[in-house]
């Protein structure tokens, strides 16, 4: 059975911004610098894949894959494949805001208590 909200989230999303929000509300570049690039894949049957890096390429590369589910205004990624062993089997919950072709995910970092805000833009379909 398809996930609730699958129709509005399924597809490929391109990373627009990845910021860290300080306790005082200040916004700073996230761990991938000022110009990150990345792709987020949501399948209608509940699979997710995330790949991100600085626009000028590695050494920093963040990725994971697994399943996703929507819980009202939150999305939960269950990690089954990850670059860090400690991430495996974890549920990563993010507040979700969808505005047309813009998806904003807000939550804590996978490895710190920093608050992160990631903005994604839906990509149009290309190819046959």
């Amino acid at each position: 059975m398809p996930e609730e909200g699958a129709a509005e989230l399924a597809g490929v999303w391109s990373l627009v911004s990845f910021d860290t929000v300080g306790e005082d509300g200040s916004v700073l570049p996230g761990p991938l610098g000022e110009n990150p690039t990345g792709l987020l894949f949501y399948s209608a049957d509940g699979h997710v894949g995330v790949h991100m890096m600085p626009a000028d390429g590695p050494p920093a590369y963040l990725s994971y894959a697994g399943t996703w589910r929507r819980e009202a205004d939150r999305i939960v990624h269950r990690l089954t494949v990850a670059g860090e062993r400690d991430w495996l089997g974890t549920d990563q919950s993010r507040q979700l805001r969808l505005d047309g072709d813009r998806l904003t995910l807000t939550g804590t970092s996978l490895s710190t208590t920093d608050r992160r805000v990631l903005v994604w833009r839906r990509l149009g379909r290309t190819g046959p």
Side-chain angles (χ1 to χ4, degrees):
M1 175 176 221
E3 283 289 323
E4 174 191 344
E8 53 183 9
L9 293 175
V12 181
W13 301 81
S14 176
L15 186 61
V16 173
S17 63
F18 182 179
D19 296 316
T20 297
V21 179
E23 290 183 21
D24 62 357
S26 61
V27 178
L28 303 168
L32 300 178
E34 293 185 17
N35 191 22
T37 187
L39 293 173
L40 166 64
F41 303 85
Y42 283 124
S43 73
D45 64 353
H47 291 88
V48 62
V50 180
H51 302 274
M52 298 179 292
M53 65 184 206
D56 57 358
Y61 184 81
L62 300 174
S63 70
Y64 65 80
T67 59
W68 70 275
R69 68 183 184 275
R70 186 164 180 183
E71 298 175 349
D73 67 344
R74 299 195 71 74
I75 193 156
V76 179
H77 297 170
R78 175 170 278 286
L79 280 53
T80 56
V81 175
E84 299 288 333
R85 186 169 295 282
D86 292 346
W87 299 355
L88 293 173
T90 64
D91 282 348
Q92 301 299 318
S93 179
R94 306 283 182 258
Q95 182 164 359
L96 173 150
R97 188 175 77 236
L98 184 60
D99 183 19
D101 69 348
R102 292 247 179 206
L103 172 64
T104 302
L105 301 178
T106 304
T108 56
S109 164
L110 289 169
S111 54
T112 71
T113 58
D114 290 341
R115 188 166 159 240
R116 307 279 199 215
V117 178
L118 290 88
V119 177
W120 301 88
R121 179 181 51 83
R122 184 186 302 274
L123 293 178
R125 184 175 173 180
T126 59

